[in-house]
């Protein structure tokens, strides 16, 4: 059997390696147009930032090592230029000219290419993507060569990593995104924390705006300047282009394979394309989102590796139905200086955009027991359906964030309800968690929302609340004096039972909207008021969430 | 409605607080025989070790704070001495004499008591348990008073925490357990790593032996000596008794409630006991193990809190079937100096003892990408059924251990198969994990075992392998020279394809048992040999697992 794999990084190389382990006698050729195979593309920003100083540690395999350990025929500098599905041949261009390779099975793993928006000046040599080892080499050389200012276009995962890396090398960094906040996959009520962290480390953020033009400025102190839509002009020695990627499906399209309207290669649950002898994997393929059902390219390394493994099983006739492709969750994590931000499943924004009815809860529980030194809050949002099914989760914090998102990603994969989440039995000792873990607390809170024990109000309701309700602030008098919502009544939660008449009088028939710092004390107050017959709701996530969602908010100060 | 709760720590106080949140008009009395309620019992060892220096941080609530925030009538120093289920009364003894309290609903949360084995001298004042705040006070006072040597009887979770705490305070520490290794819930192939860590920090371990007697030795330099079954005599100023706990079900038994043969209170899925007006929660109750089906007391804080919440819902008629009790997994974690050890589900030993057919895989993957600085191996075992269902997992390492066990605990709760585990989509960026996470790799490895792509051999097979098979060591020549199994043939995995004839000759018709350092290179070799017609199997977990499971093993040294 002759297997040809186009693309020698994550998904392609996983397919080739798995195929060899299952079929010692197959002829397996891997075509890679670049100079390197199996390199650590997720490590590139850390090499630029010198956290991974040794370049060779990014080169996980070479054609020689893969030949020796797996008997693979790996050809770098070989670009597939055409596929003839009828003849089952691939045309390959290399330094030694064109050639034609026959195949019994073809695996396409061409990956994605950087989106290049129609902005003047993106072809200047100071404008760099960060997707390959040579990209990283160039960027390091520019830093080593004295670049002092960088503009990063796009504040997604790679943009944030690039900004941190360059800042770590001492550059001044401006970070630009068209979205209303950095890290657009994150909802606005958590993204603010990431923005604060960037600011605390000297990265200037420009959101809701995009680059209009990059211009060479040889007479100035820096090499170029980046003009933004909002009129700002940012001088730079280096511009990082990280506004996103799109599937590299040119070959597949030319070969007549079915693509989605957005240009991703359509595959079935066995990774097979519309041609029965061609399989496709990785960033170029369309995958179904497990929660939303949306079909799209999702450029993530974990799914790519599994897809490669699956394609090999499938083309060798070894794939069982249990191992067919499932939907993806889009689970992702990024380090931003001392902060970790992570997501899985559907965001609030996605659910709103798709018109999916859902609830959301906000939590700020410690990553381990509060009485054990060093507890850090895990700022977390969890979305779930009216029937209780978990839909997604996001978290930001200084510790324990990736763990909670991994647990909830596992719960999502299992189709768990919030009752299931509340019953999760997680490992607890004071250095690691709490008897009531943030995940478990999300489950409890959701249960209360679902059965009516807890009614929530949200930062988006603030204007209406201020206009039409009594805001009841149940924090301590000192917390209240330090900053409170205009017109709020302060009754500390421990005094509420004895001061109900006062609350009733102040409400004067209006609804009562209660809050505290993070939502727990006000939940207790909410229960008291609810049972006393008030129209009451509790601010989800308390002032911590409100201030992150509404950074413009001005608080009153002084005692009640 | 009048609710009486007996026991004011984890489960009992959760029940009382939840009941108040749901029933503002209920009369809720919490009886606690001790001096403190809602204290951080899991934090006590860290207070002894001075990692939590401030004693008040362990006292999470007081009767006054609970009265103010929740309107609970909390009575410390009040011991329930009898229950009359027919009259629905509790007899209570306190400093002010006996009284009788009526109830509509009674919640029993009496907890567990320390097992006191029939050993002479356990009543000496130097022998201490570590279960209450006064216990911790006493132990701290002994350390502050100049205790220089401690003997810890029982190397379970509390024993390990106590040993670390006392060692951290500068004491010489001997740790004793009757089991063949420390941390008996862990299987022997991982427990060795914990033993090594204890040794590296100067804790002397004595396993397979127990205390025979504790004797006062006023004439010696220390206060007492502990004589062990194996003849050792350990001088000590302080003896920690941590050989286990048993349900404190005396009251329940006297009231005629149904107990298990082991003395745990029998409850149904609503926490209701055999009396319709009495619910029970926490360490005194019997719970069903989710994997093994075994009914036993499982003293863990997380389940106790949930049980308390559930009992409140149930006695107030608010519990829905979806929120009924599920089985427990026994998920637990402990820090042992720089190491973390964690478990969930069934251990290999439990499965063997119960005669449950199962597979096990051993892995040693990094807690994050190997090319990112600071990767630490997660030494992990995962057990699964022949039908692919996950049964349990254990892990030991310096980072990322609790995360993997929490993910697998979630997978267990969901009833996942190893196909499901292989498809988990976990958060990946180089500082947090790998595109192929240790959990995912466990899934892949299990899939290979289940479909016959991988056949394993284990440390327990070693003697037979050495007697009857060719041991093929596919590590590098340098690794081989540094120590190898007697009689092993060294063919580095990259040279195997060209040296098959040599292997065939050396095997001379015998099976080939291949291994490398951790099991991956030898898996590649295994695939080559399997497809070349050899009777071949691969050592699960490689030399890392073998040396942990067989510390007695002597290796040959020198080149092939």
């Amino acid at each position: 059997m002759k297997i040809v794999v186009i693309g020698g990084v994550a998904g392609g190389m996983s397919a080739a390696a798995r195929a060899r382990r299952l079929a010692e006698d197959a002829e397996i050729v891997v075509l890679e147009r670049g100079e390197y195979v199996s390199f650590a593309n997720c490590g590139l920003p850390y090499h630029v930032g010198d956290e991974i100083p040794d370049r060779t540690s990014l080169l996980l395999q070479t054609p020689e090592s893969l030949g020796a350990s797996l008997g693979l025929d790996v050809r770098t500098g070989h670009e597939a230029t055409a596929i003839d599905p009828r003849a089952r041949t691939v045309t390959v261009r290399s330094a030694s000219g064109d050639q034609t390779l026959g195949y019994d099975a073809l695996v396409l793993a061409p990956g994605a290419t950087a989106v290049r928006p129609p902005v003047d000046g993106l072809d200047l040599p100071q404008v760099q993507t960060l997707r390959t080892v040579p990209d990283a080499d160039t960027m390091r050389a520019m830093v080593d060569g004295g670049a002092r200012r960088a503009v990063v276009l796009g504040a997604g995962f790679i943009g944030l990593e690039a900004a941190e890396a360059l800042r770590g090398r001492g550059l001044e960094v401006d970070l630009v995104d068209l979205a209303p906040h950095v890290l657009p996959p994150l909802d606005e009520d958590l993204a603010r924390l990431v923005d604060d962290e960037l600011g605390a480390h000297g990265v200037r953020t420009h959101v809701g705006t995009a680059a209009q033009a990059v211009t060479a400025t040889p007479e100035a102190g820096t090499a170029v300047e980046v003009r933004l839509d909002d009129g700002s002009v940012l001088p730079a020695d280096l511009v990082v282009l990280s506004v996103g990627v799109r599937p590299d499906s040119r070959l597949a399209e030319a070969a007549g394979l079915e693509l989605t309207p957005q240009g991703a290669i359509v595959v079935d649950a066995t990774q097979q394309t519309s041609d029965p002898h061609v399989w496709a994997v990785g960033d170029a393929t369309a995958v179904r989102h497990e929660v939303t059902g949306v079909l799209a390219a999702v450029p993530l390394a974990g799914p790519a590796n599994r897809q490669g493994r699956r394609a090999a099983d499938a083309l060798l006739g070894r794939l069982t139905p249990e191992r067919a492709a499932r939907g993806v969750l889009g689970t992702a994590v990024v380090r931003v200086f001392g902060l970790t931000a992570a997501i899985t499943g559907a965001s609030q924004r996605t659910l709103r955009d798709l018109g999916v009815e859902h609830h959301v809860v906000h939590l700020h529980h410690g990553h381990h027991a509060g009485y054990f030194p060093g507890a850090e809050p895990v700022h977390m949002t969890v979305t779930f359906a009216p029937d209780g099914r978990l839909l997604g989760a996001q978290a930001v914090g200084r510790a324990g964030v990736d763990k909670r998102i991994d647990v909830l990603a596992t719960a999502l994969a299992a189709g768990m309800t919030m009752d299931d989440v509340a019953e999760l039995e997680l490992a607890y000792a004071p250095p690691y968690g709490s008897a009531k873990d943030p995940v478990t607390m999300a489950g409890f809170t959701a249960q209360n929302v679902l059965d009516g024990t807890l009614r929530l109000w949200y930062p988006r309701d603030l204007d209406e609340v201020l206009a039409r309700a009594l805001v009841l602030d149940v924090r301590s008098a000192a917390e209240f004096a330090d900053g409170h919502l205009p017109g709020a009544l302060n009754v500390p939660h421990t005094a509420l039972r004895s001061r109900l008449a006062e609350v009733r009088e102040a409400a004067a028939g209006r609804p009562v909207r209660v809050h505290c710092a993070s939502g727990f004390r006000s939940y207790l107050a909410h229960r008291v008021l609810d049972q006393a017959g008030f129209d009451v709701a509790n601010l989800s996530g308390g002032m911590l969430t409100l201030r992150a969602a509404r950074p413009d908010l001005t608080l009153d100060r002084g005692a009640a």
Side-chain angles (χ1 to χ4, degrees), chain A:
Chain A
M1 183 170 202
K2 180 151 186 176
I3 302 169
V4 173
V5 178
I6 298 177
V9 193
M13 200 52 82
S14 290
R18 174 72 172 173
R20 169 58 73 228
R21 295 195 298 268
L22 296 180
E24 187 62 21
D25 54 358
E27 187 182 335
I28 306 176
V29 178
V30 180
L31 303 171
E32 168 55 47
R33 65 184 155 214
E35 200 179 336
Y36 302 98
V37 287
S38 283
F39 65 90
N41 40 11
C42 300
L44 298 175
Y46 303 96
H47 182 50
V48 170
D50 218 25
E51 201 164 349
I52 303 176
D54 180 9
R55 179 181 187 275
T56 60
S57 63
L58 298 176
L59 306 174
L60 308 177
Q61 296 283 352
T62 62
E64 294 69 33
S65 72
L66 289 162
S69 69
L70 286 162
L72 299 177
D73 177 356
V74 178
R75 305 179 190 178
T76 55
H78 280 62
E79 180 170 14
T81 55
I83 300 164
D84 183 338
R86 249 166 303 242
R88 292 190 214 158
T89 59
V90 179
T91 307
V92 187
R93 178 173 303 156
S94 71
S96 53
D98 281 12
Q99 66 180 126
T100 301
L101 283 180
Y103 64 78
D104 299 308
L106 177 66
V107 178
L108 294 178
T113 54
V115 168
R116 300 184 76 85
V119 171
D120 281 349
L122 291 191
D123 51 348
L124 285 167
Q126 288 81 9
V127 182
Q128 265 297 315
T129 55
L130 183 48
R131 300 190 42 77
T132 64
V133 176
D135 284 350
D137 291 341
T138 304
M139 213 174 277
R140 270 182 76 101
M142 291 167 80
V143 173
D144 293 342
R148 289 175 302 103
R149 296 193 60 140
V151 172
V152 178
L153 299 177
F157 293 97
I158 307 295
L160 289 176
E161 288 172 343
E164 178 180 344
L166 294 169
R167 189 78 192 113
R169 294 293 297 274
L171 278 74
E172 287 191 57
V173 177
D174 288 274
L175 180 62
V176 180
D177 204 291
L178 187 57
H181 55 73
V182 297
L183 201 53
L186 211 64
D187 286 312
E188 60 279 5
D189 39 16
L190 290 176
R192 171 67 42 185
L193 302 169
V194 178
D195 206 334
D196 290 348
E197 181 77 1
L198 289 164
H201 287 84
V203 174
R204 288 181 292 264
T205 57
H206 309 261
V207 294
T209 186
Q212 217 167 40
V214 182
T215 327
T217 51
E219 73 290 351
T222 56
V224 299
E225 63 183 30
V226 181
R227 183 174 304 271
L228 303 186
D229 279 341
D230 67 2
S232 328
V233 176
L234 310 173
D237 302 306
L238 163 59
V239 178
V240 181
L241 183 64
S242 53
V243 296
V245 296
R246 66 163 54 98
D248 185 354
S249 53
R250 292 166 297 175
L251 259 187
E253 186 175 18
L257 299 181
E258 188 185 348
L259 305 184
T260 66
Q262 294 76 31
I265 304 172
V266 172
V267 292
D268 67 11
T270 74
Q271 305 301 136
Q272 200 168 37
T273 67
S274 55
D275 182 285
H277 297 281
V278 183
W279 288 258
V281 302
D283 298 359
T285 63
V287 292
R288 188 180 51 80
H289 194 283
E290 184 68 29
V291 176
T292 64
V294 171
L295 198 68
V298 175
L300 288 169
N305 281 309
R306 279 194 294 277
Q307 290 158 9
R309 185 178 170 87
R310 182 179 303 119
D313 285 1
L315 69 86
L316 290 165
R318 295 273 301 253
L319 191 71
T320 60
E322 295 75 27
R323 299 183 187 174
R326 307 171 183 206
V328 302
L329 300 168
T331 312
V333 62
V334 63
R335 190 189 72 185
V336 183
F337 297 101
L339 216 57
T340 300
I343 59 175
T344 188
S347 68
Q348 297 172 61
R349 188 180 317 104
T350 301
L351 294 171
R352 281 197 302 265
D353 289 351
L354 295 173
V356 177
E357 205 184 337
H358 65 280
H359 298 285
V360 58
V361 292
H362 299 76
L363 298 100
H364 310 275
H365 285 267
H367 89 289
H368 64 47
Y371 59 78
F372 191 83
E376 294 282 353
V378 176
H379 304 286
M380 186 161 76
T381 58
V382 177
T383 53
F384 51 98
D387 68 0
R389 195 168 47 93
L390 174 64
L391 297 175
Q394 307 195 338
V396 173
R398 298 191 180 280
V401 165
D402 53 321
K403 175 162 84 168
R404 272 63 188 206
I405 292 301
D406 276 357
V407 165
L408 288 166
T410 305
L412 264 176
M416 282 190 173
T417 66
M418 296 310 289
D419 285 332
D420 299 326
V421 170
E423 290 293 327
L424 286 178
E425 190 187 322
L426 305 174
Y428 162 53
Y432 303 98
S434 296
K436 292 173 183 166
D437 191 86
V439 167
T440 320
M441 288 303 300
F444 291 160
T445 309
Q447 287 181 323
N448 290 337
V449 168
L450 290 164
D451 69 15
T453 306
L454 172 60
R455 187 175 153 206
L456 292 172
W457 66 282
Y458 294 97
R460 64 169 178 268
D461 306 322
L462 181 64
D463 297 336
E464 199 183 321
V465 163
L466 291 176
R468 300 205 171 81
L470 170 68
V471 174
L472 179 65
D473 184 334
V474 299
R475 297 176 300 166
S476 69
E479 289 170 279
F480 182 84
D482 200 39
H484 55 262
L485 289 174
L489 173 69
N490 181 222
V491 179
H493 80 293
T494 49
L496 183 62
R497 284 185 181 81
S498 60
R499 291 172 62 183
L500 273 184
E502 185 184 336
V503 174
R504 201 177 302 273
E505 191 176 344
R510 292 177 298 167
V512 177
R513 294 297 174 258
V514 64
H515 79 84
C516 64
S518 69
F520 181 69
R521 286 173 290 175
S522 52
Y523 166 54
L524 300 183
H526 168 75
R527 293 305 308 144
V528 171
L529 294 165
D530 181 45
Q531 295 182 74
F534 286 85
D535 170 351
V536 63
N538 178 26
L539 176 59
S540 187
M543 288 297 271
L544 279 168
T545 291
L546 184 65
R547 304 213 61 179
R550 296 284 299 256
D552 55 309
L553 196 64
T554 310
L555 298 181
D556 288 352
R557 297 177 71 86

